[in-house]
Coordinates of all heavy atoms in Angstrom, one line a residue:
Y1 N -2.7 -3.8 -1.5 CA -2.7 -4.0 -3.0 C -1.5 -3.3 -3.5 O -0.8 -2.6 -2.8 CB -4.0 -3.3 -3.6 CG -4.2 -1.9 -3.3 CD1 -3.7 -0.9 -4.1 CD2 -4.9 -1.5 -2.1 CE1 -3.8 0.5 -3.8 CE2 -5.0 -0.1 -1.8 CZ -4.5 0.8 -2.7 OH -4.6 2.2 -2.4
T2 N -1.3 -3.5 -4.9 CA -0.2 -2.9 -5.5 C -0.7 -2.0 -6.6 O -1.8 -2.2 -7.2 CB 0.8 -3.9 -6.2 OG1 0.0 -4.7 -7.2 CG2 1.4 -4.8 -5.2
K3 N 0.0 -0.9 -6.9 CA -0.5 0.0 -7.9 C 0.7 0.9 -8.3 O 1.5 1.4 -7.5 CB -1.5 0.9 -7.3 CG -2.1 1.9 -8.3 CD -3.2 2.8 -7.6 CE -3.8 3.8 -8.6 NZ -4.8 4.6 -8.0
D4 N 0.9 0.9 -9.6 CA 1.9 1.7 -10.2 C 3.3 1.4 -9.6 O 4.1 2.2 -9.3 CB 1.7 3.2 -10.0 CG 0.4 3.7 -10.6 OD1 0.0 3.1 -11.6 OD2 -0.2 4.6 -10.1
G5 N 3.5 0.1 -9.4 CA 4.8 -0.4 -8.9 C 5.0 -0.1 -7.4 O 6.2 -0.2 -6.9
K6 N 4.0 0.1 -6.7 CA 4.1 0.4 -5.3 C 3.2 -0.5 -4.5 O 2.1 -0.9 -5.0 CB 3.8 1.8 -5.0 CG 4.8 2.8 -5.6 CD 4.4 4.3 -5.3 CE 5.3 5.2 -6.0 NZ 4.9 6.6 -5.8
V7 N 3.5 -0.8 -3.2 CA 2.7 -1.6 -2.3 C 1.9 -0.7 -1.4 O 2.6 0.2 -0.7 CB 3.5 -2.6 -1.6 CG1 2.6 -3.5 -0.7 CG2 4.3 -3.5 -2.5
F8 N 0.6 -0.9 -1.3 CA -0.2 0.0 -0.4 C -0.9 -0.9 0.7 O -1.4 -2.0 0.4 CB -1.3 0.7 -1.2 CG -0.7 1.8 -2.1 CD1 -0.2 1.5 -3.3 CD2 -0.6 3.1 -1.6 CE1 0.3 2.5 -4.1 CE2 -0.1 4.1 -2.4 CZ 0.4 3.8 -3.7
L9 N -1.0 -0.3 1.9 CA -1.9 -0.9 3.0 C -3.2 -0.3 2.9 O -3.3 1.0 2.8 CB -1.2 -0.6 4.3 CG -2.0 -1.0 5.6 CD1 -2.2 -2.5 5.6 CD2 -1.4 -0.5 6.8
K10 N -4.3 -1.1 2.9 CA -5.6 -0.5 2.8 C -5.9 0.2 4.1 O -5.5 -0.2 5.2 CB -6.7 -1.7 2.6 CG -6.7 -2.2 1.2 CD -7.8 -3.3 1.1 CE -7.9 -3.8 -0.3 NZ -9.0 -4.8 -0.4
G11 N -6.7 1.3 4.0 CA -7.0 2.1 5.2 C -7.9 1.3 6.1 O -8.7 0.5 5.7
Y12 N -7.9 1.7 7.4 CA -8.7 1.1 8.4 C -9.0 2.1 9.5 O -8.1 3.0 9.7 CB -8.2 -0.2 9.0 CG -6.8 0.0 9.6 CD1 -6.6 0.2 11.0 CD2 -5.6 -0.1 8.8 CE1 -5.4 0.4 11.5 CE2 -4.4 0.1 9.4 CZ -4.3 0.3 10.7 OH -3.0 0.5 11.3
F13 N -10.0 2.0 10.2 CA -10.4 3.0 11.2 C -10.4 4.4 10.5 O -11.0 4.6 9.5 CB -9.5 2.9 12.4 CG -9.6 1.6 13.2 CD1 -8.5 1.2 13.9 CD2 -10.7 0.8 13.2 CE1 -8.5 0.0 14.6 CE2 -10.8 -0.4 13.9 CZ -9.7 -0.8 14.6
D14 N -9.6 5.3 11.1 CA -9.5 6.6 10.5 C -8.3 6.8 9.7 O -8.0 7.9 9.2 CB -9.5 7.7 11.6 CG -10.8 7.8 12.3 OD1 -11.9 7.5 11.7 OD2 -10.9 8.2 13.5
F15 N -7.5 5.7 9.5 CA -6.3 5.7 8.7 C -6.6 5.6 7.2 O -7.3 4.6 6.9 CB -5.3 4.6 9.1 CG -4.8 4.8 10.6 CD1 -5.2 3.8 11.5 CD2 -4.0 5.8 10.9 CE1 -4.7 3.9 12.8 CE2 -3.5 5.9 12.2 CZ -3.9 5.0 13.2
P16 N -6.1 6.4 6.4 CA -6.3 6.3 4.9 C -5.3 5.2 4.4 O -4.5 4.7 5.1 CB -6.0 7.6 4.4 CG -4.9 8.2 5.3 CD -5.3 7.6 6.7
D17 N -5.5 4.9 3.1 CA -4.6 4.0 2.4 C -3.2 4.6 2.5 O -3.0 5.8 2.4 CB -5.0 3.8 0.9 CG -6.3 3.0 0.8 OD1 -6.9 2.6 1.8 OD2 -6.7 2.7 -0.4
R18 N -2.2 3.7 2.7 CA -0.8 4.2 2.9 C 0.2 3.4 2.2 O 0.1 2.2 2.2 CB -0.5 4.2 4.4 CG 0.9 4.7 4.8 CD 1.0 4.9 6.3 NE 0.8 3.7 7.0 CZ 1.8 2.8 7.3 NH1 3.0 2.9 6.8 NH2 1.5 1.7 8.0
E19 N 1.1 4.1 1.5 CA 2.2 3.4 0.7 C 3.2 2.8 1.8 O 3.6 3.5 2.7 CB 2.9 4.4 -0.2 CG 4.1 3.7 -0.9 CD 4.9 4.7 -1.7 OE1 4.4 5.8 -2.0 OE2 6.1 4.4 -2.0
I20 N 3.5 1.5 1.6 CA 4.4 0.9 2.5 C 5.7 0.3 1.9 O 6.6 -0.1 2.6 CB 3.7 -0.2 3.3 CG1 3.2 -1.3 2.4 CG2 2.5 0.3 4.2 CD1 2.6 -2.6 3.1
G21 N 5.7 0.3 0.6 CA 7.0 -0.2 -0.1 C 6.8 -0.2 -1.6 O 5.8 0.3 -2.2
L22 N 7.9 -0.7 -2.3 CA 7.9 -0.8 -3.8 C 7.8 -2.3 -4.2 O 8.2 -3.2 -3.5 CB 9.2 -0.2 -4.3 CG 9.5 1.3 -3.9 CD1 10.9 1.7 -4.3 CD2 8.4 2.2 -4.6
V23 N 7.3 -2.4 -5.4 CA 7.2 -3.8 -6.0 C 8.6 -4.0 -6.6 O 9.1 -3.2 -7.3 CB 6.2 -3.9 -7.1 CG1 6.3 -5.2 -7.8 CG2 4.8 -3.6 -6.6
K24 N 9.2 -5.2 -6.2 CA 10.6 -5.5 -6.7 C 10.5 -6.7 -7.6 O 10.4 -6.5 -8.8 CB 11.5 -5.7 -5.5 CG 11.7 -4.4 -4.6 CD 12.7 -4.6 -3.5 CE 12.9 -3.3 -2.8 NZ 13.8 -3.5 -1.7
E25 N 10.6 -7.9 -7.2 CA 10.7 -9.1 -8.1 C 9.4 -9.2 -8.8 O 9.3 -9.4 -10.0 CB 11.0 -10.3 -7.2 CG 12.4 -10.3 -6.6 CD 12.6 -11.6 -5.8 OE1 11.8 -12.5 -5.8 OE2 13.7 -11.6 -5.1
S26 N 8.3 -9.2 -8.0 CA 7.0 -9.3 -8.6 C 5.9 -8.8 -7.6 O 6.2 -8.6 -6.4 CB 6.6 -10.8 -8.9 OG 6.5 -11.5 -7.7
E27 N 4.7 -8.5 -8.1 CA 3.7 -8.0 -7.2 C 3.4 -9.0 -6.1 O 3.2 -8.7 -5.0 CB 2.4 -7.7 -8.0 CG 2.6 -6.5 -9.0 CD 1.4 -6.2 -9.8 OE1 0.5 -7.0 -9.8 OE2 1.3 -5.1 -10.3

């Protein structure tokens, strides 16, 4: 998902949600 201009990977297994990049042209 995107939030506050950033792209996040949803958590899985024991990994929490993690920021993976920035929103540039569009979400």
Side-chain angles (χ1 to χ4, degrees):
Y1 59 90
T2 59
K3 182 179 179 181
D4 299 331
K6 297 177 182 178
V7 180
F8 289 87
L9 172 65
K10 286 184 178 181
Y12 57 94
F13 299 152
D14 292 332
F15 296 112
D17 291 3
R18 177 168 63 86
E19 178 187 339
I20 61 173
L22 299 173
V23 175
K24 294 186 177 179
E25 297 179 3
S26 66
E27 291 179 346

